CSV table of all heavy atoms in Angstrom, one decimal:
chain,number,residue,atom,x,y,z
A,10,ALA,N,93.6,90.0,-21.3
A,10,ALA,CA,92.8,91.1,-20.8
A,10,ALA,C,91.6,90.7,-20.1
A,10,ALA,O,91.0,91.4,-19.3
A,10,ALA,CB,92.5,92.1,-21.9
A,71,GLY,N,87.5,92.8,-5.9
A,71,GLY,CA,88.0,92.9,-7.3
A,71,GLY,C,87.7,94.2,-7.9
A,71,GLY,O,87.3,95.2,-7.2
A,72,GLY,N,88.0,94.3,-9.2
A,72,GLY,CA,87.9,95.6,-9.9
A,72,GLY,C,86.5,96.1,-9.9
A,72,GLY,O,86.3,97.4,-9.7
A,73,SER,N,85.5,95.3,-10.2
A,73,SER,CA,84.1,95.8,-10.3
A,73,SER,C,83.7,96.4,-8.9
A,73,SER,O,83.1,97.5,-8.9
A,73,SER,CB,83.1,94.7,-10.6
A,73,SER,OG,83.5,94.1,-11.9
A,74,GLU,N,84.0,95.7,-7.8
A,74,GLU,CA,83.6,96.3,-6.5
A,74,GLU,C,84.4,97.6,-6.3
A,74,GLU,O,83.8,98.6,-5.8
A,74,GLU,CB,83.9,95.3,-5.4
A,74,GLU,CG,83.5,95.9,-4.0
A,74,GLU,CD,83.9,95.0,-2.8
A,74,GLU,OE1,83.7,93.8,-2.9
A,74,GLU,OE2,84.3,95.6,-1.8
A,76,ASP,N,85.4,99.8,-8.4
A,76,ASP,CA,84.8,100.9,-9.3
A,76,ASP,C,83.5,101.3,-8.7
A,76,ASP,O,83.2,102.5,-8.6
A,76,ASP,CB,84.6,100.3,-10.7
A,76,ASP,CG,85.9,100.3,-11.5
A,76,ASP,OD1,86.9,100.8,-11.1
A,76,ASP,OD2,85.9,99.6,-12.6
A,101,HIS,N,84.9,100.6,-18.6
A,101,HIS,CA,84.4,99.3,-18.4
A,101,HIS,C,83.0,99.4,-17.9
A,101,HIS,O,82.6,100.4,-17.3
A,101,HIS,CB,85.3,98.6,-17.3
A,101,HIS,CG,85.0,97.2,-17.1
A,101,HIS,ND1,84.0,96.7,-16.2
A,101,HIS,CD2,85.6,96.1,-17.6
A,101,HIS,CE1,84.0,95.4,-16.2
A,101,HIS,NE2,85.0,95.0,-17.0
A,103,ALA,N,81.6,98.3,-15.3
A,103,ALA,CA,81.6,98.5,-13.9
A,103,ALA,C,81.5,100.0,-13.6
A,103,ALA,O,80.9,100.4,-12.6
A,103,ALA,CB,82.8,97.9,-13.2
A,148,MET,N,89.5,105.9,-17.1
A,148,MET,CA,90.3,104.6,-16.9
A,148,MET,C,91.7,104.9,-17.4
A,148,MET,O,92.0,105.7,-18.3
A,148,MET,CB,89.7,103.5,-17.7
A,148,MET,CG,89.8,103.6,-19.2
A,148,MET,SD,88.6,102.6,-20.1
A,148,MET,CE,88.6,101.0,-19.3
A,150,ALA,N,93.9,102.6,-18.7
A,150,ALA,CA,94.1,102.0,-20.0
A,150,ALA,C,92.9,101.2,-20.3
A,150,ALA,O,92.3,100.6,-19.4
A,150,ALA,CB,95.4,101.1,-20.0
A,152,ASN,N,90.5,98.3,-21.7
A,152,ASN,CA,90.6,96.8,-21.7
A,152,ASN,C,90.4,96.2,-23.1
A,152,ASN,O,90.8,95.1,-23.4
A,152,ASN,CB,89.6,96.2,-20.7
A,152,ASN,CG,88.2,96.8,-20.8
A,152,ASN,OD1,88.0,98.0,-20.7
A,152,ASN,ND2,87.2,96.0,-21.1
A,177,ASP,N,90.2,103.8,-13.1
A,177,ASP,CA,90.1,102.4,-13.2
A,177,ASP,C,91.4,101.9,-13.8
A,177,ASP,O,91.6,102.0,-15.0
A,177,ASP,CB,88.9,102.0,-14.0
A,177,ASP,CG,88.8,100.5,-14.2
A,177,ASP,OD1,89.8,99.8,-14.1
A,177,ASP,OD2,87.7,100.0,-14.6
A,179,VAL,N,92.6,98.8,-13.6
A,179,VAL,CA,92.6,97.3,-13.6
A,179,VAL,C,93.5,96.8,-14.7
A,179,VAL,O,94.2,95.8,-14.5
A,179,VAL,CB,91.2,96.8,-13.7
A,179,VAL,CG1,91.2,95.3,-13.9
A,179,VAL,CG2,90.4,97.2,-12.5
A,180,GLN,N,93.5,97.4,-15.9
A,180,GLN,CA,94.4,96.8,-17.0
A,180,GLN,C,95.8,97.4,-16.9
A,180,GLN,O,96.7,96.7,-17.4
A,180,GLN,CB,93.8,97.2,-18.3
A,180,GLN,CG,92.5,96.5,-18.7
A,180,GLN,CD,92.7,95.0,-19.0
A,180,GLN,OE1,93.8,94.6,-19.4
A,180,GLN,NE2,91.7,94.3,-18.8
A,200,SER,N,92.7,94.9,-9.8
A,200,SER,CA,92.2,93.6,-9.6
A,200,SER,C,93.3,92.5,-9.7
A,200,SER,O,94.1,92.6,-10.6
A,200,SER,CB,91.1,93.4,-10.6
A,200,SER,OG,90.6,92.0,-10.5
A,202,HIS,N,93.2,89.3,-10.6
A,202,HIS,CA,93.3,88.3,-11.7
A,202,HIS,C,93.7,88.8,-13.0
A,202,HIS,O,93.9,88.1,-14.0
A,202,HIS,CB,92.0,87.5,-11.8
A,202,HIS,CG,90.9,88.3,-12.4
A,202,HIS,ND1,90.5,88.0,-13.7
A,202,HIS,CD2,90.1,89.2,-11.9
A,202,HIS,CE1,89.4,88.8,-14.0
A,202,HIS,NE2,89.2,89.5,-12.9
A,203,LYS,N,94.0,90.2,-13.1
A,203,LYS,CA,94.5,90.7,-14.3
A,203,LYS,C,96.0,90.8,-14.3
A,203,LYS,O,96.6,91.3,-15.3
A,203,LYS,CB,93.9,92.1,-14.6
A,203,LYS,CG,92.3,92.1,-14.6
A,203,LYS,CD,91.8,91.5,-15.9
A,203,LYS,CE,90.3,91.5,-15.9
A,203,LYS,NZ,89.6,92.7,-16.3
B,1,LIG,C1,88.4,93.2,-15.7
B,1,LIG,C2,88.1,94.7,-15.5
B,1,LIG,C3,87.3,95.2,-14.5
B,1,LIG,C4,86.6,94.2,-13.5
B,1,LIG,O1,87.5,93.6,-12.7
B,1,LIG,P1,87.0,92.3,-11.9
B,1,LIG,O2,88.0,92.0,-10.9
B,1,LIG,O3,86.8,91.2,-12.9
B,1,LIG,O4,85.7,92.6,-11.2
B,1,LIG,C5,87.1,96.5,-14.4
B,1,LIG,N1,87.7,97.4,-15.2
B,1,LIG,C6,88.5,97.0,-16.2
B,1,LIG,C7,89.2,98.0,-17.1
B,1,LIG,C8,88.8,95.6,-16.4
B,1,LIG,O5,89.6,95.2,-17.4
Side-chain angles (χ1 to χ4, degrees):
S73 300
E74 183 185 318
D76 284 346
H101 189 273
M148 70 199 319
N152 47 304
D177 174 342
V179 173
Q180 290 291 332
S200 175
H202 74 104
K203 303 287 175 82

